Amino acid sequence: PYLLSGTCFGGMVAVELARQLQAGGEKVALLALFDTPFPNPTLWSKISWHVEVLRQLTPRDAVDYLTERVKRRTANLLGKLQARRGQSLSTELNELIIARELAQAENEYIPDHYEGKITLFRAEADARDGGADDFLKGWQEIATGGVEVHLIPGSHGAIMSEPSVRVLAEKFQSCLDLVQSNDSLQNGADPNSATSL
């Protein structure tokens, strides 16, 4: 069976992969999302998300975050202008356009029902600050098997860094071990022969 995971936009890609694999008759044993918010393309939800991210950043990192957003928007406009003129794009401009297009795809993606459980690794600081209900509601609505939540110390931007990433790795490994053990038992294999990733 497939074991799929992703963070942020990659989490949305993992959800869609899982849905398409199931539609093709394949088994998805684990769908893990690392602090992936449910996509909600309303203007208010976008503004709220950016405000929440900015609130958690240092002033210097906040400037970098905003600068990157402006660069993406500008690159998109410049890229369209250069394409109309038949000009080739620089590597940096092309990368910024791709990042902008991914952000747009993320904003427009609304997942359909997923026949299974979603395992969500959630930043504890963000969940504690009142964002838990909004964050989970969408995933709970589409996952027929419910959502299993594992809280990871830290904020959204910190769960993939030390020391939070150690807790994340331990919890993720436990989920992998359980899924592989269950699969081995269902297939009549020795549960001790399952390999860990």
Side-chain angles (χ1 to χ4, degrees):
Y2 287 89
L3 308 175
L4 302 172
S5 66
T7 184
C8 289
F9 180 72
M12 295 176 202
V13 172
V15 169
E16 188 57 29
L17 278 172
R19 292 185 64 256
Q20 290 187 27
L21 285 167
Q22 285 182 336
E26 299 291 340
K27 181 181 176 190
V28 177
L30 176 68
L31 175 55
L33 306 181
F34 302 111
D35 219 33
T36 301
F38 188 80
N40 185 351
T42 66
L43 178 61
W44 178 248
S45 68
K46 289 183 217 176
I47 291 170
S48 297
W49 172 257
H50 289 299
V51 167
E52 182 63 27
V53 169
L54 288 168
R55 189 178 67 78
Q56 297 172 21
L57 297 175
T58 65
R60 182 181 177 98
D61 289 341
V63 169
D64 290 344
Y65 180 84
L66 292 172
T67 301
E68 182 64 26
R69 294 304 173 276
V70 170
K71 283 169 88 175
R72 286 182 187 180
R73 292 236 180 235
T74 304
N76 194 37
L77 295 172
L78 286 174
K80 287 178 181 178
L81 181 62
Q82 287 183 343
R84 285 186 188 147
R85 293 181 178 170
Q87 298 172 326
S88 61
L89 304 177
S90 69
T91 302
E92 181 182 10
L93 185 57
N94 198 39
E95 288 174 358
L96 287 170
I97 290 170
I98 290 169
R100 174 73 184 126
E101 288 175 353
L102 285 174
Q104 185 174 346
E106 180 178 352
N107 287 334
E108 293 174 359
Y109 175 67
I110 299 175
D112 206 347
H113 285 85
Y114 169 66
E115 299 296 325
K117 177 178 74 174
I118 292 176
T119 303
L120 177 64
F121 296 88
R122 179 77 168 109
E124 189 172 34
D126 300 338
R128 188 177 56 240
D129 289 342
D133 292 339
D134 291 341
F135 201 96
L136 289 175
K137 184 179 177 189
W139 294 128
Q140 289 170 333
E141 288 175 359
I142 69 152
T144 62
V147 179
E148 177 183 326
V149 179
H150 297 269
L151 294 177
I152 307 300
S155 62
H156 176 74
I159 66 168
M160 292 291 186
S161 302
E162 292 289 352
S164 298
V165 73
R166 290 179 190 260
V167 176
L168 174 62
E170 290 171 6
K171 290 186 177 193
F172 184 52
Q173 185 64 56
S174 294
C175 291
L176 287 172
D177 291 344
L178 181 63
V179 165
Q180 291 174 334
S181 174
N182 288 342
D183 187 58
S184 295
L185 291 172
Q186 288 176 2
N187 292 327
D190 178 1
N192 295 323
S193 67
T195 57
S196 299
L197 299 178

